[in-house]
Amino acid sequence: MRDKPALVQLGPLAQLRAGNLPQRLLQLFVGLAFFGISMAMMIRGNLGLSPWDALHVGLAKLLPLSFGWIVVGVSFLVLLLWIPLREIPGLGTIANAVVIGLVADLTLQLLVAPEGFIWRLLLTLGGVLLCGFGSALYIGAQLGRGPRDGLMTGLHRVTGYSLRSMRTAIELSVLLVGTLLAGYKVLGIGTLLFAFGIGPLTQLMLPWVLVRLDN
């Protein structure tokens, strides 16, 4: 019986040479598309956003840019923080920075906000579930961390604090700034569902879609 596939850390070129590249590229872009769609679903559900999306919505109120382009811009600003942390981006990192925001914008143009609490709740729940699945897909493709994940791992390596501590500090800081910019309407049950659900969902689904790499 073959061993289960493992999540490994590879450099950018090694990621591309590790085998199963067509499958991994398809999985990467499907996962990123699902992630972008999930963001639009939670916005249209209007029952609370994830910390980063609270920041994106807050910035969209101040800048003459769409939500999706704000997501792209923030992603590249976060990538600048990788430089002093000596994090190395991969193809998936750059794709993450661009694709998610563009798909979110397109979905927001097509998706109409539902009437009634139940439909909004279902849309929010669906957004959290789809985000978990999309995250598992693009992580499982093993083509590089997303900008925000790399910020977390870089700070963990430089400061010596745990990944959990770094993730919590980043998420709380981003949520605070987003709330100050956009107001308390970005907070709600969706924020709690995302905060407590996205980690376990991604962990649950990742083994289903983790691609085996050639040795």
Side-chain angles (χ1 to χ4, degrees), residues 2-215:
R2 298 180 68 187
D3 294 335
K4 293 181 179 180
L7 190 63
V8 297
Q9 299 290 346
L10 298 173
L13 293 179
Q15 292 168 8
L16 298 176
R17 295 168 178 166
N20 297 319
L21 187 58
Q23 174 191 349
R24 292 163 61 213
L25 286 173
L26 176 62
Q27 182 169 313
L28 168 69
F29 284 101
V30 170
L32 295 177
F34 282 173
F35 199 108
I37 293 169
S38 74
M39 295 166 79
M41 291 172 67
M42 291 191 68
I43 289 174
R44 290 294 183 245
N46 197 27
L47 290 176
L49 303 176
S50 70
W52 282 100
D53 284 348
L55 175 63
H56 299 146
V57 168
L59 290 173
K61 286 181 169 291
L62 300 178
L63 301 173
L65 296 171
S66 68
F67 173 84
W69 282 109
I70 292 290
V71 173
V72 173
V74 169
S75 296
F76 279 100
L77 287 175
V78 171
L79 282 178
L80 291 178
L81 298 177
W82 282 33
I83 297 174
L85 297 175
R86 298 184 179 180
E87 289 287 299
I88 301 175
L91 174 62
T93 308
I94 305 303
N96 183 300
V98 176
V99 172
I100 289 176
L102 299 183
V103 171
D105 253 1
L106 177 61
T107 308
L108 285 170
Q109 294 176 24
L110 300 174
L111 187 62
V112 178
E115 296 182 4
F117 175 79
I118 296 300
W119 290 112
R120 292 165 56 203
L121 178 60
L122 290 174
L123 196 60
T124 299
L125 285 170
V128 174
L129 289 170
L130 190 61
C131 184
F133 187 45
S135 298
L137 282 171
Y138 84 73
I139 292 171
Q142 309 220 53
L143 283 164
R145 292 185 290 271
R148 295 152 185 81
D149 296 325
L151 177 62
M152 172 188 66
T153 56
L155 287 172
H156 156 69
R157 191 184 68 254
V158 170
T159 65
Y161 288 105
S162 68
L163 286 171
R164 180 183 300 177
S165 299
M166 288 296 92
R167 182 62 179 260
T168 301
I170 292 169
E171 297 285 321
L172 288 177
S173 299
V174 167
L175 183 60
L176 176 61
V177 175
T179 304
L180 291 173
L181 293 176
Y184 288 101
K185 68 177 184 179
V186 297
L187 304 177
I189 189 173
T191 310
L192 294 175
L193 289 171
F194 189 93
F196 291 104
I198 197 64
L201 283 171
T202 304
Q203 182 174 337
L204 172 67
M205 297 175 180
L206 182 59
W208 306 347
V209 294
L210 183 58
V211 178
R212 183 188 303 276
L213 301 183
D214 295 338
N215 295 322

